[in-house]
Amino acid sequence: MSTVFRNSALVFALLFPLVACSQPAQPTQATVEAAAPAGSEARPALGSLPDFTALVEKEGAAVVNISTTQTLRGRGALPPFPGMDPDDPFHDFFRRFMPPQGPNQPNGPRERQTHSLGSGFIISADGYVLTNSHVIDNADEVVVKLTDKREFKAKVIGKDRRTDVALVKIDAKNLPTVTLGDATRVKVGEWVVAIGSPYGFENSVTAGIVSAKGRSLPGDGYVPFIQTDVAVNPGNSGGPLFNLRGEVVGINSQIYSRTGGYMGLSFAIPIDIALDVSNQLKGTGKVSRGKLGVVIQEVSPDLAASFGMKEAKGAVVSQVEPGGAADKAGIQPGDVIIRFDGKEVPDSATLPRMVGAVKPGSKVKVEVWRNNGVKEIT
């Protein structure tokens, strides 16, 4: 991975829908050879390909298209004279001496609207919809479109940027809902299906396999992403990732790409994490997380050997925040946190998730490696 970062301009791209997605071009006709159906088995036999038709027919109606509108106001929202370069010498002349002609003209309030598209899925019959935080972030208006073409203005219940999960509500009843699964049961190599609106093409279905679990992405310490090779693109954001049993196991959120489009690396938020966030958002409109108050780093084999540890695991404490929970409990720089709340800490990337899952104010037992031995701290 480090070699790839040095030699390529690879970036993690949040699946921001393009403005042009609001008026997508029509796809050209193509002949598609259907894969041989594998019957009704949840897991196809080796050498056969699965048939996703039953899954899509059963769960597809609960997948929605989400469109947002944001109004940008103030200086620079619109040039006073469309088509004229603001650096043109005559631009300032017209701005000074031509009379204002409407709200978007000189000396008047300038504004413009931007539009974007994303996806989501209905988790309750009374209208609660899960999506990504970045899909509805800063939106003045959120519209949810169902597969039966009905459209509803949605109310944002809450959003959490750290996990990129948002909960919105539409005023409707008896809606179709998805079946929720267990992300901890997901296995690397199993088939998964994404349904969403890539580039505005509503309810598009793509499939692939789980490539890896528990991925940590740069700048993100709270989500153990599910990595897949399912084709997802801008507009798929917030859409569900299904297993072959038709259960949602994740929310499609990010891609790894040179171009901003699909290149075989897609990442989904595990549904158990998303549901925990959504329950908090539904209850209080915000998310509360535990905080330990330390700066940590990975335990390398060399560090493990210098500490007298048999294997490289846990998280090394490099700094302790004065007055924080760790400081008050007696955790010191140089300690290696190896267990937290009764669970083993395999690496430094896992610890922030474990700490964040604990309610603020809770008492937790922490085991640290110090002076060639284990010390338990509350």
Side-chain angles (χ1 to χ4, degrees):
M1 288 293 288
S2 58
T3 303
V4 174
F5 273 114
R6 287 196 297 269
N7 297 331
S8 304
L10 290 175
V11 294
F12 277 95
L14 285 175
L15 302 182
F16 280 105
L18 303 180
V19 174
C21 287
S22 58
Q23 294 182 340
Q26 294 298 317
T28 56
Q29 292 185 346
T31 301
V32 180
E33 182 178 354
S40 58
E41 296 179 356
R43 295 182 182 277
L46 292 176
S48 64
L49 292 175
D51 182 356
F52 306 115
T53 54
L55 184 158
V56 174
E57 290 172 359
K58 181 176 182 292
E59 305 293 337
V63 181
V64 302
N65 173 270
I66 297 178
S67 59
T68 66
T69 302
Q70 180 184 3
T71 302
L72 303 179
R73 299 179 177 86
R75 185 177 180 181
L78 268 183
F81 297 93
M84 179 175 287
D85 186 346
D87 295 326
D88 191 306
F90 287 101
H91 181 279
D92 187 58
F93 172 83
F94 282 113
R95 183 183 65 81
R96 288 169 179 264
F97 298 105
M98 289 292 287
Q101 300 176 1
N104 292 330
Q105 295 305 316
N107 305 318
R110 303 171 192 169
E111 63 180 41
R112 67 182 174 92
Q113 289 186 330
T114 61
H115 304 274
S116 63
L117 289 179
S119 304
F121 51 98
I122 305 169
I123 58 173
S124 68
D126 58 349
Y128 282 96
V129 177
L130 269 182
T131 185
N132 283 148
S133 173
H134 76 262
V135 168
I136 53 92
D137 202 21
N138 299 320
D140 297 310
E141 182 181 78
V142 178
V143 176
V144 171
K145 184 179 180 181
L146 308 185
T147 55
D148 61 10
K149 308 304 180 183
R150 286 185 294 165
E151 295 186 2
F152 300 88
K153 286 188 178 181
K155 176 184 177 182
V156 177
I157 303 301
K159 58 187 175 183
D160 179 49
R161 289 189 175 93
R162 287 188 173 179
T163 55
D164 197 21
V165 173
L167 182 68
V168 302
K169 174 77 164 60
I170 60 175
D171 188 11
K173 297 180 180 180
N174 301 319
L175 296 173
T177 62
V178 296
T179 303
L180 299 175
D182 182 357
T184 62
R185 297 178 58 194
V186 171
K187 294 183 178 180
V188 175
E190 75 171 275
W191 283 95
V192 282
V193 177
I195 304 179
S197 303
Y199 298 109
F201 292 88
E202 300 173 10
N203 280 79
S204 295
V205 181
T206 51
I209 63 168
V210 174
S211 304
K213 293 177 60 180
R215 288 295 196 206
S216 295
L217 305 187
D220 194 315
Y222 287 94
V223 179
F225 286 94
I226 301 170
Q227 179 187 333
T228 76
D229 68 352
V230 178
V232 296
N233 282 289
N236 274 111
S237 279
L241 183 72
F242 293 97
N243 59 22
L244 284 190
R245 291 181 291 275
E247 302 165 339
V248 177
V249 294
I251 303 178
N252 296 309
S253 175
Q254 299 190 40
I255 58 175
Y256 194 40
S257 174
R258 288 190 179 99
T259 63
Y262 170 73
M263 294 189 69
L265 292 167
S266 308
F267 299 89
I269 304 161
I271 192 62
D272 54 331
I273 291 177
L275 287 177
D276 176 64
V277 171
S278 70
N279 288 335
Q280 292 191 58
L281 293 175
K282 186 177 180 180
T284 64
K286 61 181 181 179
V287 177
S288 297
R289 293 185 176 87
K291 180 181 178 183
L292 194 57
V294 294
V295 177
I296 57 174
Q297 67 183 66
E298 190 68 30
V299 180
S300 66
D302 289 341
L303 276 177
S306 68
F307 292 145
M309 302 174 65
K310 294 182 179 179
E311 56 181 326
K313 65 178 182 178
V316 182
V317 177
S318 57
Q319 295 180 39
V320 178
E321 178 184 307
D327 183 35
K328 293 177 180 178
I331 292 178
Q332 303 172 1
D335 286 347
V336 180
I337 300 176
I338 55 177
R339 295 185 73 85
F340 182 86
D341 197 18
K343 300 176 182 177
E344 183 176 297
V345 180
D347 49 53
S348 61
T350 304
L351 183 59
R353 304 168 194 157
M354 300 171 74
V355 175
V358 177
K359 293 182 179 180
S362 302
K363 289 188 176 182
V364 176
K365 290 185 178 180
V366 180
E367 290 184 10
V368 302
W369 181 268
R370 180 191 296 175
N371 298 329
N372 295 315
V374 177
K375 180 178 179 61
E376 186 176 281
I377 298 173
T378 299

